[in-house]
Amino acid sequence: NAGVTQTPKFQVLKTGQSMTLQCAQDMNHNSMYWYRQDPGMGLRLIYYSASEGTTDKGEVPNGYNVSRLNKREFSLRLESAAPSQTSVYFCASYREAGGSPLHFGNGTRLTVT
Amino acid sequence: EDKVVQSPLSLVVHEGDTVTLNCSYEVTNFRSLLWYKQEKKAPTFLFMLTSSGIEKKSGRLSSILDKKELFSILNITATQTGDSAVYLCAVGVYTGTASKLTFGTGTRLQVTL
């Protein structure tokens, strides 16, 4: 099983450019999440999705949009990148029943110049 | 607003020492508390705690939860250099549609020879 797969692994953008980070999980989990991690700040929740077609804001949603097209995929879009969005982004998924832990992808390191 | 606070922020110990990492929380609709270890990449799962007073153990690591006092500890005995990492505490709450994990900023542990 691949688990949670994120692409790309690295990306450099210029200020104002747009891009989409892709995430897919093959564990049949209902809930999916996007976090960002900055030095000294821990992991902060950007958006999450309880099921296909539903999304909710987390702690730091400004400057981002998300799309949950189907159960497997949850994408994060930066419409106009800013240097403050330089960070490591993690996608994660979670099965609501059964008490399983959050499963993380390997992360995307994004630099905005 | 949900809050998770970890202490200490960083710690340097000698190999063989025992360490205790702390996590306190203030959240609404508590569901679970999780510990993760993070080295260079994505966090890896250590423990999930849902009931007070029941110790979870895995090798030299153990953890316990106190739901009355709203905290958890992670103990590592006979530390090794391979234990050097950032240890993250996360608290899961249920929003009515999905579980949401809020992370602390982490404790950076360095184990020296």
Side-chain angles (χ1 to χ4, degrees), chain B residues 15-58:
Chain B
E15 203 172 43
D17 287 351
T18 293
V19 297
T20 298
L21 310 183
N22 304 294
C23 176
S24 63
Y25 61 91
E26 290 177 38
V27 302
T28 307
N29 292 330
F30 173 91
R31 202 173 197 194
S32 58
L33 187 143
L34 295 88
W35 285 96
Y36 286 84
K37 177 182 181 182
Q38 187 176 28
E39 295 170 271
K40 299 275 186 214
K41 297 193 279 189
T44 54
F45 172 72
L46 295 174
F47 298 110
M48 176 186 272
L49 304 154
T50 55
S51 301
S52 269
I54 298 173
E55 186 181 50
K56 294 247 177 149
K57 219 169 152 54
S58 176

Side-chain angles (χ1 to χ4, degrees), chain A residues 31 33 35 37 40-43 45 48-50 56 59 90 94 96 99-107 109, chain B residues 1 31-32 34 36 38 40-45 48 86 88 94-95 97-106:
Chain A
S31 299
Y33 307 81
Y35 286 90
Q37 187 172 35
M41 302 288 284
L43 284 146
L45 183 63
Y48 63 103
S49 168
D56 285 290
E59 193 184 346
F90 288 102
Y94 182 76
E96 291 293 338
S100 69
L102 202 62
H103 291 263
F104 285 93
N106 283 329
R109 186 173 291 275
Chain B
E1 183 185 326
R31 202 173 197 194
S32 58
L34 295 88
Y36 286 84
Q38 187 176 28
K40 299 275 186 214
K41 297 193 279 189
T44 54
F45 172 72
M48 176 186 272
V86 174
L88 296 166
Y94 191 65
T95 67
T97 55
S99 291
K100 191 175 75 162
L101 266 71
T102 299
F103 283 81
T105 54

